[in-house]
Amino acid sequence: MGSENSKVVIVATIIIIGISGAALLSMFNSDNPDLTPNSSGIETLTICCNSTDLLYPELDVVNFVFLESGFWQVNANFMNDSAGYYEFLKIYDRNFTITLEELLSINDAIYEGLNQTYSSNITTLLLLEPGPSIWYDIDITYTDGSWLYITTFQTDQGHIIFNSGTGTPNTNLLDGTVLEPLSALDCIVTTIYNLFSSHID
C-alpha cells in the first residue's frame, strides 16, 4: 500500500511540474511578439535612382527589409545635390515600415509594366556605347531562388535593360535584353512616389 501511495505522489508531482512548466512557458511566450513568416515570396528588394528625382525627390537608394512582425522596414538614403554634384552634398536617411500589401504593390507594378514592353531592335552594346545616364534600377530576389534586374536609361526614346534567372543574380548589363518603351514602367514610378508620399511628410 505504501508503495502504491509513493507512486501516486510521484505521478502527481510530475503532473504538477508539467502544468507549472507549461504555464511558465505560456507566460514567457506572451511577453514576446508573434513571429510572422515571410509570405511575400520576396527575399530582397533594392531600388537605386541616383537622386534623379524621378521616383521621389532626392531619393538615392532604398532597401526593403522583412521584419519578423510581418511588416517591412524601408531604409531610404537621400541626396541633395542641388548645389552641384561636386559641391556640398547633403545626405540624409529616412526609415519607416510598410505593410505586406504595400510591398506587393511594388512587385505587382513591376510585372504590370514589364508586360507592356517589347524587345527593342537596338542591342545592349549599341545602347550602352554612348554612355547614357541611368534613371533608376531595381534589383529583386525571390524566396524560390529566382531574381530579376531592371535598369532604365535616359535616352531619347527611353530604354530598359532587363535580366532575370535563378541562382546567383547577374547584374551585368551586357547580358540583359533591351526593352521599350520606358513609359510602360510609369506604373512603377507612380507606385514608388505614392508609397513615399504617404509615409514621409
Side-chain angles (χ1 to χ4, degrees):
M1 189 73 175
S3 175
E4 291 180 2
N5 286 339
S6 297
K7 290 180 181 178
V8 170
V9 170
I10 291 172
V11 170
T13 302
I14 291 172
I15 292 173
I16 291 171
I17 291 174
I19 293 173
S20 299
L24 286 173
L25 184 61
S26 175
M27 288 174 59
F28 175 77
N29 287 337
S30 67
D31 291 335
N32 294 320
D34 293 331
L35 302 183
T36 304
N38 180 2
S39 61
S40 68
I42 297 172
E43 186 74 32
T44 63
L45 173 58
T46 301
I47 301 174
C48 177
C49 54
N50 305 315
S51 68
T52 57
D53 293 352
L54 179 65
L55 299 183
Y56 192 80
E58 301 178 358
L59 182 62
D60 187 23
V61 179
V62 55
N63 291 291
F64 298 79
V65 181
F66 177 71
L67 302 175
E68 291 181 334
S69 62
F71 290 88
W72 286 75
Q73 175 81 25
V74 180
N75 301 317
N77 176 260
F78 295 80
M79 182 170 61
N80 182 344
D81 57 358
S82 58
Y85 192 81
Y86 296 102
E87 301 297 329
F88 175 75
L89 296 178
K90 180 182 177 183
I91 299 174
Y92 57 99
D93 297 320
R94 293 288 184 273
N95 303 303
F96 55 88
T97 57
I98 61 173
T99 64
L100 172 62
E101 290 73 21
E102 289 176 303
L103 178 81
L104 292 179
S105 71
I106 299 172
N107 190 64
D108 291 345
I110 292 171
Y111 285 95
E112 178 186 342
L114 288 174
N115 285 336
Q116 300 178 55
T117 63
Y118 50 85
S119 296
S120 175
N121 292 326
I122 189 173
T123 65
T124 54
L125 189 59
L126 287 175
L127 172 61
L128 297 174
E129 193 172 36
S133 297
I134 294 176
W135 241 333
Y136 63 89
D137 61 41
I138 299 174
D139 188 357
I140 182 168
T141 61
Y142 296 94
T143 54
D144 66 357
S146 62
W147 56 269
L148 66 82
Y149 184 65
I150 302 169
T151 305
T152 64
F153 295 88
Q154 298 182 51
T155 57
D156 291 338
Q157 186 173 350
H159 288 93
I160 307 155
I161 290 184
F162 170 76
N163 206 350
S164 66
T166 57
T168 303
N170 179 5
T171 58
N172 185 341
L173 296 177
L174 290 174
D175 292 333
T177 301
V178 181
L179 304 176
E180 56 181 74
L182 181 57
S183 59
L185 304 188
D186 285 349
C187 51
I188 298 176
V189 176
T190 301
T191 301
I192 296 296
Y193 181 84
N194 289 341
L195 177 71
F196 274 83
S197 296
S198 64
H199 289 278
I200 296 179
D201 295 332

